[in-house]
Amino acid sequence: LSYPTADTCVLTKTAKQLLTSIFQLNLSYCKAGIMLTHLVPDTFKQQDLFCEENSNFSKRDKLMHLLVLDDN
């Protein structure tokens, strides 16, 4: 991604696209996990002047905040 996000919709969509692009039939695959490192608070956002997603930060952040509140 060209911008930081904690949006599970964006992360899941991107992961599926990447997996689809590298998947090969007739290969054996193993289940694996991932580790996320160098995480920063969601109050810190270094925005890119040329990234179209910047205008959607506040809307998507509000949605993700509501989803997190609903989980609790």
Side-chain angles (χ1 to χ4, degrees):
L1 296 172
S2 59
Y3 55 93
T5 186
D7 186 333
T8 54
C9 295
V10 172
L11 294 172
T12 303
K13 180 180 177 182
T14 303
K16 285 183 177 181
Q17 289 173 341
L18 292 170
L19 287 172
T20 301
S21 70
I22 64 171
F23 177 78
Q24 295 180 11
L25 287 174
N26 302 320
L27 283 181
S28 296
Y29 289 92
C30 296
K31 187 175 182 176
I34 61 167
M35 274 181 50
L36 303 175
T37 60
H38 303 295
L39 301 176
V40 295
D42 62 354
T43 55
F44 174 78
K45 289 194 172 88
Q46 182 174 349
Q47 297 186 5
D48 183 349
L49 291 174
F50 305 105
C51 181
E52 294 177 19
E53 292 294 325
N54 288 333
S55 61
N56 294 330
F57 267 146
S58 61
K59 293 177 188 175
R60 298 297 291 186
D61 286 344
K62 288 177 186 176
L63 174 62
M64 292 306 296
H65 181 70
L66 288 173
L67 292 173
V68 169
L69 288 177
D70 188 47
D71 285 344
N72 295 330

